Amino acid sequence: MQMDREDTMATKPEILIVGGGVAGLALATRLGDTLGRQGQARITLIDKSFSHVWKPMLHCFAAGTAQNENDRISFMAQASSRHFEFWPGEIVALDRANRRAILGPFRATDGEVVLESRTVEYAALVLAIGSRANDFGTPGVAEHCLFIDNLVEANGFNEKFRMELLRAYAAGKPLDIAIVGGGATGTQLAAELHKALDLVALHSFGASPPQLRITLLEAGPRILPAFPEAVSTAAQRQLESIGVTVRTSAMVSGADAEGLSLKDGTRVPATLRVWAAGVKAPDVTAAFDGLSLSRSGQILVHPNLQSQDDERIFALGDCSFIATDPLPPTAQVARQQAHHLARHLPAWLHGGVAVPACVFRNKGAIVALGNYNGWGTLPGGTVFGGGFLNGLSARLGHLMLYRQHQVELYGLFRGLMSILADRIDAIVRPSVRLD
């Protein structure tokens, strides 16, 4: 089935954006405000979910400390207010010769097929499908570990976490959780789960909260390897002070239903096992009609974000790879690349003007460990946060980045109203998900 279009490609070219993460939604919003509003192009966003969340917040959804609907942006509502179209679906293949993207059947939660397989034509295709944790083929990981690469997976982990926590309450036994990967996601998740337990203790059925035994496993010599060593050391010290066991140089060799096996022969028993290590592109990139890929499945692009094999296809964010200047898979990179394409794609589409190279400007990085501590680094390597009011400056910086993201997508007035709604919601609702 092919989607019906009122306007032909000849009169209104189609810009198809696949993936509604930081890059995809920012690009759809900006192009909708220009080309879409002016009727110069049809902008269509495809995503397998119905709502967007800021990926650096996924660990909060997994822990249950983020549950407010204001923390999700409805694709349909955003599309209607910013002059683009949204269709739910998941890309499964490309037909580059005919400029068509093939979408698989869209299913309801019970498995019923709601939309049959469809094809969507494009004048320009932008792939912004993000990335996944990389299990490196480790035996048992796919079957016995949980992932939190998207909102569905984060909510799935939270459901299991709450049920196991309830079971631990009733039995008066500790709850063991193992997290593989000492990068920002794994490190922040470990702290956020402890924060969640502290909040749940306020609603503890009159019983003492169970002991939460979290083990953070990192294959490298230190956690947070993207940050200066001083931050890694301070973060490990902070995690250990709240009861997290941190093990570095700990390579996982296998997973099963009762825990993880390490290459040194030791075992880490765990009721819940989370894999947050490594980065790779979604497996579907192998079905993209011969597009050149990196070893981790990312689409090889020129510095201007055009595919090396097809000038009609662009890729940005975590799913793209610039061989001459590899960039980290961060929201900061994705956001800047989206802004770059939003500026230059209209002239390329209508005037044939070449898209210039995208120059990434590093503005530093921030990591926040719940309410316990936080650190940031500036481009020159200067570290801030930590110590002073438990790293308040870094934690506020992390919050401000999120608020900036909201304002950028909603606009100033709606963004400020969303922030106000968050504050009101925090007064009337529990601060952690309980059901």
Side-chain angles (χ1 to χ4, degrees):
M1 165 183 163
Q2 182 174 324
M3 289 183 182
D4 293 329
R5 301 290 178 178
E6 295 178 0
D7 301 302
T8 64
M9 293 287 291
T11 58
K12 188 178 287 189
E14 177 85 45
I15 299 178
L16 181 62
I17 303 169
V18 182
V22 170
L25 187 55
L27 179 61
T29 297
R30 290 193 167 215
L31 290 179
D33 283 345
T34 54
L35 297 179
R37 182 193 295 271
Q38 297 163 9
Q40 296 180 2
R42 184 187 296 273
I43 316 299
T44 300
L45 176 68
I46 303 289
D47 195 276
K48 59 185 176 182
S49 176
F50 280 91
S51 58
H52 161 91
V53 297
W54 193 47
K55 191 169 183 179
M57 275 190 67
L58 281 176
H59 65 281
C60 298
F61 284 92
T65 54
Q67 57 173 327
N68 192 337
E69 286 300 319
N70 291 327
D71 290 322
R72 309 181 192 189
I73 296 176
S74 164
F75 287 130
M76 296 181 72
Q78 185 74 359
S80 66
S81 65
R82 305 309 281 269
H83 310 282
F84 66 91
E85 295 184 10
F86 166 71
W87 277 92
E90 186 171 9
I91 190 169
V92 295
L94 286 180
D95 177 0
R96 292 200 289 126
N98 295 299
R99 297 182 194 165
R100 292 175 179 171
I102 297 121
L103 309 182
F106 183 77
R107 301 177 183 274
T109 53
D110 62 0
E112 179 185 359
V113 175
V114 179
L115 298 173
E116 299 290 346
S117 179
R118 298 150 285 159
T119 63
V120 189
E121 296 182 358
Y122 60 83
L125 172 65
V126 181
L127 298 168
I129 56 177
S131 63
R132 294 192 55 79
N134 191 347
D135 65 11
F136 305 103
T138 306
V141 171
E143 298 83 6
H144 300 290
C145 289
L146 298 165
F147 296 78
I148 57 168
D149 292 313
N150 53 54
L151 182 60
V152 172
E153 292 178 348
N155 283 338
F157 171 83
N158 180 256
E159 172 71 13
K160 292 181 181 296
F161 173 58
R162 287 184 291 112
M163 294 304 102
E164 292 298 339
L165 203 56
L166 183 61
R167 185 176 285 118
Y169 260 113
K173 295 181 178 180
L175 173 58
D176 290 307
I177 300 176
I179 302 171
V180 182
T185 298
T187 301
Q188 292 180 135
L189 177 62
E192 205 70 23
L193 289 172
H194 265 281
K195 173 185 172 182
L197 184 61
D198 290 342
L199 295 172
V200 167
L202 301 174
H203 313 275
S204 61
F205 321 111
S208 298
Q211 182 184 5
L212 188 60
R213 300 191 302 207
I214 298 177
T215 302
L216 180 63
L217 300 168
E218 166 57 39
R222 62 186 178 94
I223 63 172
L224 298 175
F227 286 79
E229 188 169 353
V231 172
S232 300
T233 301
Q236 179 169 339
R237 188 180 301 119
Q238 179 67 62
L239 289 174
E240 290 172 343
S241 74
I242 62 174
V244 176
T245 299
V246 179
R247 295 184 61 175
T248 56
S249 300
M251 183 75 70
V252 176
S253 60
D256 55 44
E258 296 180 351
L260 301 170
S261 300
L262 304 186
K263 282 199 171 179
D264 63 6
T266 60
R267 286 272 302 172
V268 178
T271 304
L272 295 176
R273 302 153 301 279
V274 185
W275 193 276
V279 175
K280 70 172 184 177
D283 293 339
V284 70
T285 58
F288 282 173
D289 201 7
L291 290 183
S292 298
L293 306 176
S294 71
R295 287 184 297 177
S296 58
Q298 296 164 297
I299 300 157
L300 296 181
V301 297
H302 297 295
N304 69 351
L305 307 178
Q306 273 180 314
S307 162
Q308 292 186 359
D309 306 292
D310 193 324
E311 65 176 10
R312 293 276 176 175
I313 296 178
F314 297 80
L316 66 165
D318 296 2
C319 74
S320 67
F321 186 80
I322 304 172
T324 56
D325 184 23
L327 297 173
T330 65
Q332 179 183 177
V333 170
R335 178 175 177 269
Q336 289 188 30
Q337 291 179 338
H339 291 182
H340 180 80
L341 273 190
R343 284 193 299 270
H344 298 288
L345 208 54
W348 172 85
L349 184 67
H350 289 294
V353 179
V355 176
C358 179
V359 179
F360 172 64
R361 292 174 174 81
N362 183 11
K363 298 182 179 180
I366 294 176
V367 60
L369 302 186
N371 291 333
Y372 306 109
N373 220 324
W375 297 267
T377 60
L378 298 175
T382 302
V383 176
F384 63 92
F388 176 66
L389 294 181
N390 289 327
L392 179 63
S393 58
R395 289 186 287 114
L396 285 178
H398 194 271
L399 177 62
M400 289 303 295
L401 289 176
Y402 173 53
R403 296 308 185 191
Q404 178 190 39
H405 179 66
Q406 283 184 307
V407 169
E408 177 182 314
L409 294 176
Y410 280 137
L412 181 60
F413 178 75
R414 288 181 62 210
L416 292 176
M417 290 301 99
S418 177
I419 294 171
L420 177 61
D422 283 350
R423 294 300 89 208
I424 295 173
D425 192 79
I427 296 172
V428 300
R429 291 180 183 270
S431 50
V432 64
R433 185 175 180 180
L434 300 173
D435 53 22

